[in-house]
Amino acid sequence: MNSLNFYIVDVFAESKYTGNQLAVFTNAADITSEQMQVIAKEINYSETTFLTSIEQKSGGYDVRIFTPKQELPFAGHPTLGTAYVLQREIIKHPVPKIFLNLKVGQIPVTVEYADHAVECMWMQQKAPTFHQILAAETIAEILKIQPDEIDSRFPIQEVSTGVPFIIVPLKTLETVKRIKVNQDKYFQLINTTDAKCILAFCSETYHPNNQLNVRVFCDYLGIPEDPATGSANGCLAGYLAEYSYFGKQKISVRVEQGYEIKRPSLLLLEAEKKDTAIEVYVGGKVIMVARGEFV
């Protein structure tokens, strides 16, 4: 295998060493799927991406996403982080949008600039689909909380914008902070669900400027807890609009995640229910941390 160039970025980060870490390999056209998986395991971040062509195909760049355990058809922070590296290191001039060709399809990323530098990036996710509704007692056992700590005004439901997540509405931040996943019960449940990861949220926050606090658990993918999850929060955005969580079918909110694992993150969510579909956008900042070479 020839040497491979890579970059490390922090996604959904307000400063260095916060947000969700991502490694992006920019010259991966000639390596195999097996080699990509081994490298992702070596990096051992929640995801690693591989740019398999620096030439556009159908108006977009071909990208593959791997967790330490498997390839994913879509993931949120890898989409934004890879688009950031593309703009900064490959394209090298301001463009309004960058399109990534992922397994789930082509995903557009809108780029906002300040003084010609990237300020914020937004991805439009696939329209959410809504699936199985789960019992409060079942989820309470998994999260080691009481059923009455779950907000019964809204369903516990599998939602997908490309990768499905189980969305769990909770009443208080104290409950969210206290979650400890029962591994046996968790793995029993995901044998019966399409979604393999759980997003729990509440409307109490650490910081008054934010509207929601979130935690995401993905042991099935080798990620016990994720510090910032764009795909899961896209599902959450669709859920909030579908069920008028804030009293309306259009939302624009700031979401904090990762505080319990010392990687504070900020995600920006926008969604609106229009006719039969919901438009979902997830945004945030990306910060370059390092560059290097696999030899």
Side-chain angles (χ1 to χ4, degrees), residues 119-178:
E119 174 68 15
C120 186
M121 309 190 83
W122 290 86
M123 74 188 104
Q124 182 176 6
Q125 297 189 9
K126 300 295 183 182
T129 55
F130 298 85
H131 305 282
Q132 180 178 184
I133 291 176
L134 303 170
E137 292 74 17
T138 300
I139 295 299
E141 277 194 316
I142 291 170
L143 301 183
K144 295 186 179 180
I145 61 175
Q146 297 302 311
D148 64 3
E149 295 181 285
I150 296 172
D151 191 341
S152 60
R153 297 175 300 165
F154 305 97
I156 302 166
Q157 189 167 21
E158 292 184 77
V159 184
S160 179
T161 61
V163 174
F165 287 82
I166 298 168
I167 307 296
V168 183
L170 300 178
K171 292 179 181 178
T172 69
L173 181 59
E174 188 276 330
T175 300
V176 175
K177 291 162 67 173
R178 197 162 27 86

Side-chain angles (χ1 to χ4, degrees), residues 8-216:
I8 294 174
V9 293
D10 288 337
V11 186
F12 301 121
E14 294 295 285
S15 60
K16 278 187 178 181
Y17 317 127
T18 65
N20 206 344
Q21 300 150 301
L22 177 73
V24 181
F25 287 80
T26 55
N27 60 330
D30 297 326
I31 64 174
T32 66
S33 299
E34 291 75 17
Q35 289 170 321
M36 291 180 188
Q37 186 62 76
V38 169
I39 291 169
K41 176 63 176 175
E42 179 71 15
I43 294 288
N44 209 35
Y45 291 163
S46 56
E47 282 100 7
T48 297
T49 64
F50 299 87
L51 185 63
T52 58
S53 174
I54 60 171
E55 302 297 330
Q56 294 189 62
K57 297 179 181 178
S58 302
Y61 296 89
D62 291 350
V63 177
R64 298 179 68 179
I65 304 170
F66 287 79
T67 77
K69 285 190 174 182
Q70 66 184 66
E71 185 171 9
L72 294 180
F74 171 72
H77 92 274
T79 297
L80 289 191
T82 304
Y84 177 86
V85 171
L86 272 165
Q87 193 284 325
R88 176 167 165 160
E89 304 296 333
I90 305 297
I91 301 170
K92 295 184 178 179
H93 61 84
V95 292
K97 284 191 177 183
I98 298 170
F99 294 86
L100 302 190
N101 301 328
L102 306 178
K103 296 283 187 180
V104 76
Q106 192 171 82
I107 299 293
V109 177
T110 301
V111 189
E112 297 177 353
Y113 298 89
D115 297 324
H116 302 289
V118 176
E119 174 68 15
C120 186
M121 309 190 83
W122 290 86
M123 74 188 104
Q124 182 176 6
Q125 297 189 9
K126 300 295 183 182
T129 55
F130 298 85
H131 305 282
Q132 180 178 184
I133 291 176
L134 303 170
E137 292 74 17
T138 300
I139 295 299
E141 277 194 316
I142 291 170
L143 301 183
K144 295 186 179 180
I145 61 175
Q146 297 302 311
D148 64 3
E149 295 181 285
I150 296 172
D151 191 341
S152 60
R153 297 175 300 165
F154 305 97
I156 302 166
Q157 189 167 21
E158 292 184 77
V159 184
S160 179
T161 61
V163 174
F165 287 82
I166 298 168
I167 307 296
V168 183
L170 300 178
K171 292 179 181 178
T172 69
L173 181 59
E174 188 276 330
T175 300
V176 175
K177 291 162 67 173
R178 197 162 27 86
I179 291 171
K180 294 186 183 298
V181 175
N182 181 318
Q183 295 292 313
D184 291 339
K185 297 289 186 181
Y186 163 78
F187 280 102
Q188 286 176 21
L189 174 68
I190 63 173
N191 284 330
T192 69
T193 59
D194 292 329
K196 308 303 181 187
C197 301
I198 298 171
L199 179 151
F201 77 99
C202 72
S203 58
E204 292 183 357
T205 58
Y206 285 93
H207 294 290
N209 289 339
N210 303 332
Q211 287 77 49
L212 295 174
N213 179 276
V214 160
R215 294 181 73 181
V216 174

